[in-house]
Amino acid sequence: MTDTIPACYNVSIVNSNQFWKTDKVLKTELPIIAIQIVFVVGLSRIFSIIYKPLHQTRLISQIAVGFLLTPPLLGRFTPIFEFIFPVNGIVNVEILSHIGLIYYAFLSGLEMNLNTILHVKRKAASIAIAGIIFPVLVAPWLYGLFRKVYGHIMMFPLEESTSNAYILWTLILTVTSFPVVAHTLSELKLLYTGLGKAALTASMIGDTYSWILFTLFVPFSINGKGAIYTVLCTIIFVVVCIFVVRPIIQWFIDHKADKDEWNDNQLLFIFMGVLACSCISDFLGAHAIVGAFVFGLILPHGKFAEMVNSISDDFVAGFLILSTLFVTLFFGMRTRDGLTLGLILNNKGAMALIMLNIAWDRTIFSVPTYAVITSAVLLMTILVSPVINAIFKPRQRFEQNKLKTIQKLRVDSELRLITCIHNTRQAANMISIIECFNAMRVSPVHVFALYLVELTGRAAALVAAHIGKPNNQPGEQNLTRSQEELESIHNAFDALGEAYDAIRVETLNVVSAYATIHEDIYHSADEKRTSLILLPFHKQLTLEGTLEVTNVVYKDINQNVMQGAPCSVGIFVDRDFGSVPKMNLHVRVIFVGGPDDREALAIAWRMAGRSGTKLSMVRILLLGEAAEVDASAHDEAQEILSAVIDTDKQKELDDEYINTFRLIAVNNNDSISYSEIDVHSGEDIPVILNEIEKFGCDLYIVGQGNCRNSKVFTNLLEWCECLELGVIGDILVSNNFGSRSSVLVVQQYGYGGMIFGNNLNHKATSKGMFESVV
């Protein structure tokens, strides 16, 4: 190793008999550490924004700050560097970073779910084991090759003792990082695909094995021959923590959590326990993070873990491929998926950096060795996300199947649909509409219920909490609110599957940021090959009989889904539809024209096959002024002509489908009726809808209105409050309209999603005028 130049500074001892021996700590030490924290965290956030398009983890942003402080960059400006990082402030930085590292290990243990690990399926375990065995066998050979190649270049000498270097080199290339993998999958929107679930479970198993390897082998590189005693004492410490300390802590925490008696003072004892376990493992000769990880592992999961994560997150956060490919091929996965899985499991995290730090502090690695292995770790982590994004783009596959609609679905085919849910009340509403889809043995219904959970804080913590169905295993009695909701939703949909032989149900959960959760819905719908996505309306019925906003974010999610869904979409507006007797159900379709209205009719036609269901179809014929083609969005004469031709083509498709419907359905079923109403101007539409409402019904099914190219409807759309419902749907849902019927608004796949533009800003000012028209 190269010579190290010590840096010395004077410290005045003023209070020799007190805990703080130096004078004015708050005035001298605190301002320096505060400036350093603000500087580092601020730069880290800036780099995080810069790297976001490349889907890089926060770890890479933090490492970039470290590179920025090196002598070739910011470090060359001595006055600036010494102002931010004076010699007497380096010790404080190291202490604070070490504490942050300890709590990072604690949170990593808290995120681990032992029940998932112990009951893992053979496929995930095999992938994880293969991802460890291959590097363990290959890494020593790579290290030997490195020494042989670099041995001829004597600019910097290599380390003389190779045994410790072999151990750390192998472990660094072997370990993976569950938090980094979870973040990568979330950023790439692969978390809830089959590939993502396999990678996530395999990563959790691999991360557990990494901690075991770290505990068993790192002491040998630190303590030499005496490490055997360290390992034995550490194993005894872990056993005592699991079988003696864990039951006591679990009883105490469960008792407090049940009564919601936790406060900040009591949580302080938890953090003191982290430091105590870290000190014990450090005293035994292992690294301090081992004790912190074990303490996090033995704490109860569920409500308590969520509370600790939410409090600790901001504090802590501020501060090989071929093997998996062969195993995935053995389990029947595609080559591309196997390659992607191998890349994902090559993500490195804090564990690899900790080992690098140990190797550097203990002079186990020489400068060339440290530089090579550090570069390898960074390149593996940096390149994973861009490469996966390039070779695995599910969105490109959306266009391969143009038949993901109810209208094009064969009569004897299985109807596969996704229903999105935010809470238990919406689950009951969705179940009531799914029951109407006439599930039969010849044409069964397969329901995928997606419980949408907002991602806040650490991705790995929430994702780990939602792997699989919540259960009543020891240490998980206190479920979080979202886990309780998932349990309730799961039970509700299980009851639906048990009540109907022709309905299959799968309950899934999606943990993602609301701003991008629509992409997870896209990928789930694409992977499950669904024909319909059912979304809940962002308003719910009150006791007064009006619709009021529950969460405006739900509206944004619905609009985002409609803009690029890989199948048809329906928004269900519930007005106590569950109380309607299904053996005496009246469904009404209001048909104007276009692909969305044809899809609405197809859904209603399917429902009409259910015993006790009455279907009334009302076709609105646009004549005269109302039939004018909308040419406002077309500047060229050729484009206007194209719009007219497209309108004529849509009318031909409407006539063809309606004629088929009348011939097959209306003429052969007395419970199905058909009628037509002429409309000559835009003012007639609200009047006609009011007249239709007088006849009453339980459920309206209408199209959103895409591809109508009608000047009348384009003008009315400017006054709509909810553009995602279209003109007809918005009127029927309006509180001023006074209807008590539920509404299902449908958008058919294959004609492009609804575009939400400037009208979103215009609707707020025009709401009153629209209500006066209604």
Side-chain angles (χ1 to χ4, degrees):
M1 293 291 290
T2 57
D3 295 334
T4 302
I5 302 175
C8 302
Y9 59 94
N10 295 324
V11 177
S12 301
I13 304 299
V14 179
N15 306 311
S16 58
N17 296 324
Q18 297 183 12
F19 184 79
W20 297 108
K21 299 182 184 299
T22 58
D23 190 21
K24 300 179 181 179
V25 175
L26 296 180
K27 292 184 178 180
T28 58
E29 306 291 337
L30 184 60
I32 295 175
I33 195 69
I35 292 174
Q36 292 167 345
I37 291 174
V38 171
F39 178 78
V40 173
V41 172
L43 284 180
S44 176
R45 292 291 187 266
I46 293 174
F47 277 113
S48 180
I49 295 172
I50 295 174
Y51 294 153
K52 188 173 181 61
L54 299 177
H55 305 285
Q56 297 298 326
T57 64
R58 190 180 296 179
L59 180 67
I60 299 301
S61 303
Q62 294 163 348
I63 293 174
V65 176
F67 276 121
L68 186 64
L69 299 177
T70 55
L73 300 174
L74 187 60
R76 66 189 301 179
F77 302 103
T78 306
I80 298 177
F81 186 82
E82 291 183 349
F83 172 76
I84 300 174
F85 295 97
V87 176
N88 61 338
I90 297 298
V91 175
N92 292 333
V93 172
E94 289 189 352
I95 293 173
L96 191 63
S97 62
H98 193 66
I99 293 174
L101 192 61
I102 288 173
Y103 280 110
Y104 175 88
F106 164 68
L107 292 180
S108 297
L110 196 63
E111 291 166 358
M112 292 292 181
N113 192 325
L114 280 178
N115 294 316
T116 302
I117 295 170
L118 295 175
H119 299 89
V120 68
K121 294 181 179 179
R122 185 167 65 96
K123 176 180 176 181
S126 300
I127 294 172
I129 293 172
I132 289 176
I133 292 177
F134 187 77
V136 166
L137 297 177
V138 174
W141 176 79
L142 290 176
Y143 179 70
L145 181 64
F146 160 73
R147 291 186 63 88
K148 183 177 180 180
V149 172
Y150 191 82
H152 302 291
I153 306 173
M154 298 304 295
M155 183 179 300
F156 294 98
L158 295 176
E159 55 275 353
E160 296 180 1
S161 175
T162 58
S163 58
N164 292 339
Y166 266 118
I167 293 175
L168 284 177
W169 178 289
T170 302
L171 290 178
I172 290 170
L173 292 180
T174 301
V175 298
T176 184
S177 174
F178 173 71
V180 175
V181 169
H183 180 274
T184 301
L185 292 171
S186 179
E187 284 291 311
L188 296 174
K189 294 304 173 186
L190 299 175
L191 197 57
Y192 299 99
T193 62
L195 172 69
K197 292 176 181 177
L200 198 65
T201 308
S203 174
M204 178 178 284
I205 304 304
D207 210 9
T208 305
Y209 296 157
S210 299
W211 279 99
I212 296 174
L213 293 174
F214 181 88
T215 304
L216 295 178
F217 291 103
V218 168
F220 287 95
S221 63
I222 298 176
N223 303 323
K225 295 180 179 179
I228 185 65
Y229 302 106
T230 297
V231 172
L232 290 176
C233 292
T234 304
I235 292 175
I236 294 173
F237 167 70
V238 173
V239 171
V240 170
C241 286
I242 293 177
F243 294 102
V244 178
V245 179
R246 186 188 185 196
I248 299 173
I249 293 180
Q250 181 178 312
W251 174 85
F252 178 76
I253 290 176
D254 288 348
H255 179 73
K256 291 289 185 181
D258 285 337
K259 298 182 179 181
D260 291 328
E261 295 179 352
W262 279 105
N263 55 49
D264 294 342
N265 295 331
Q266 292 170 329
L267 282 175
L268 182 62
F269 289 102
I270 298 299
F271 298 126
M272 291 174 63
V274 177
L275 294 177
C277 288
S278 298
C279 290
I280 293 174
S281 64
D282 189 58
F283 175 78
L284 295 176
H287 200 284
I289 65 171
V290 174
F293 175 80
V294 172
F295 187 72
L297 197 64
I298 65 175
L299 291 181
H301 292 79
K303 187 184 299 183
F304 173 78
E306 183 183 53
M307 178 175 56
V308 174
N309 272 304
S310 63
I311 295 174
S312 306
D313 181 54
D314 291 336
F315 169 72
V316 178
F319 302 97
L320 292 143
I321 301 172
L322 292 178
S323 59
T324 55
L325 179 59
F326 293 148
V327 175
T328 53
L329 289 176
F330 175 78
F331 281 101
M333 295 178 66
R334 293 179 299 177
T335 303
R336 185 184 66 171
D337 289 356
L339 178 61
T340 304
L341 182 57
L343 287 169
I344 291 172
L345 295 181
N346 265 283
N347 271 300
K348 304 298 177 185
M351 180 71 77
L353 299 181
I354 292 169
M355 294 181 185
L356 284 169
N357 191 49
I358 292 173
W360 181 257
D361 288 343
R362 304 280 177 170
T363 65
I364 296 172
F365 283 170
S366 62
V367 172
T369 306
Y370 183 82
V372 169
I373 193 65
T374 302
S375 301
V377 168
L378 292 179
L379 283 175
M380 281 190 285
T381 304
I382 291 173
L383 293 179
V384 164
S385 293
V387 172
I388 294 175
N389 199 41
I391 68 175
F392 194 95
K393 293 184 177 180
R395 229 183 300 180
Q396 291 183 349
R397 304 199 305 263
F398 290 171
E399 298 299 327
Q400 292 181 3
N401 189 350
K402 290 288 187 181
L403 304 180
K404 293 185 177 181
T405 67
I406 305 296
Q407 182 186 354
K408 298 295 184 180
L409 194 68
R410 289 173 49 183
V411 178
D412 58 348
S413 298
E414 180 186 56
L415 171 59
R416 303 168 69 88
L417 59 89
I418 278 181
T419 174
C420 299
I421 301 159
H422 299 280
N423 52 54
T424 308
R425 176 173 177 175
Q426 292 177 354
N429 299 340
M430 288 299 184
I431 288 174
S432 65
I433 188 71
I434 291 171
E435 289 178 320
C436 302
F437 273 86
N438 190 28
M440 302 177 293
R441 291 188 179 275
V442 68
S443 180
V445 176
H446 196 163
V447 181
F448 301 92
L450 297 188
Y451 172 45
L452 308 183
V453 181
E454 183 180 14
L455 175 62
T456 56
R458 290 167 64 90
L462 266 176
V463 171
H466 286 271
I467 293 180
K469 173 182 173 288
N471 51 50
N472 292 322
Q473 299 285 350
E476 295 190 82
Q477 289 87 351
N478 296 299
L479 300 178
T480 65
R481 184 191 61 81
S482 57
Q483 287 176 321
E484 290 174 350
E485 289 261 12
L486 177 60
E487 181 76 12
S488 177
I489 291 169
H490 187 99
N491 293 336
F493 276 94
D494 273 356
L496 174 66
E498 293 173 0
Y500 296 90
D501 293 337
I503 296 181
R504 286 197 299 159
V505 176
E506 291 184 37
T507 306
L508 311 169
N509 53 297
V510 174
V511 183
S512 184
Y514 276 162
T516 59
I517 201 168
H518 59 280
E519 296 183 22
D520 296 284
I521 298 173
Y522 292 167
H523 297 159
S524 297
D526 183 59
E527 184 182 42
K528 304 300 183 184
R529 304 186 308 279
T530 58
S531 299
L532 181 66
I533 298 174
L534 283 177
L535 301 171
F537 192 46
H538 68 279
K539 296 181 180 182
Q540 67 181 20
L541 192 68
T542 63
L543 295 176
E544 292 76 22
T546 60
L547 292 172
E548 291 187 358
V549 176
T550 54
N551 193 334
V552 72
V553 178
Y554 299 165
K555 179 177 182 178
D556 298 332
I557 294 174
N558 292 348
Q559 292 183 349
N560 289 336
V561 171
M562 294 184 76
Q563 290 187 62
C567 63
S568 295
V569 180
I571 296 180
F572 180 55
V573 183
D574 177 70
R575 286 194 174 110
D576 200 19
F577 188 67
S579 63
V580 176
K582 299 303 184 293
M583 296 307 296
N584 188 24
L585 180 67
H586 186 188
V587 178
R588 174 169 283 116
V589 176
I590 299 178
F591 191 102
V592 178
D596 295 348
D597 286 15
R598 294 195 294 272
E599 188 75 352
L601 178 57
I603 292 175
W605 193 348
R606 181 184 178 96
M607 290 182 177
R610 192 173 187 271
S611 176
T613 301
K614 177 183 179 182
L615 172 60
S616 302
M617 176 187 169
V618 179
R619 185 180 187 184
I620 295 179
L621 299 175
L622 303 180
L623 304 173
E625 178 187 338
E628 292 183 8
V629 176
D630 178 25
S632 59
H634 306 278
D635 298 329
E636 301 292 336
Q638 185 175 358
E639 293 181 359
I640 297 175
L641 179 60
S642 176
V644 173
I645 295 175
D646 182 63
T647 302
D648 292 340
K649 177 63 177 178
Q650 292 296 331
K651 190 175 183 303
E652 291 179 8
L653 294 174
D654 293 340
D655 293 339
E656 179 183 352
Y657 193 59
I658 288 177
N659 289 337
T660 303
F661 169 73
R662 296 179 67 179
L663 179 64
I664 298 176
V666 179
N667 293 343
N668 298 307
N669 194 333
D670 294 336
S671 62
I672 301 178
S673 62
Y674 172 84
S675 60
E676 296 179 352
I677 300 178
D678 296 341
V679 171
H680 298 274
S681 66
E683 291 77 8
D684 294 343
I685 293 176
V687 176
I688 290 174
L689 292 179
N690 274 298
E691 292 297 322
I692 295 174
E693 171 64 18
K694 293 179 181 179
F695 293 96
C697 70
D698 301 310
L699 175 66
Y700 284 105
I701 303 181
V702 298
Q704 196 277 339
N706 191 25
C707 294
R708 280 179 182 156
N709 289 332
S710 170
K711 186 175 182 180
V712 167
F713 280 92
T714 300
N715 293 336
L716 288 174
L717 193 64
E718 296 180 1
W719 310 107
C720 287
E721 178 188 1
C722 303
L723 295 180
E724 67 274 17
L725 302 182
V727 173
I728 302 295
D730 192 74
I731 294 176
L732 295 176
V733 169
S734 170
N735 288 327
N736 284 24
F737 186 70
S739 177
R740 293 295 179 265
S741 304
S742 299
V743 181
L744 178 62
V745 179
V746 182
Q747 173 184 278
Q748 188 179 63
Y749 170 75
Y751 290 87
M754 180 63 183
I755 299 175
F756 303 94
N758 296 331
N759 288 332
L760 287 173
N761 299 324
H762 181 64
K763 69 183 180 188
T765 59
S766 59
K767 178 181 175 183
M769 187 177 299
F770 176 72
E771 290 180 346
S772 66
V773 174
V774 175

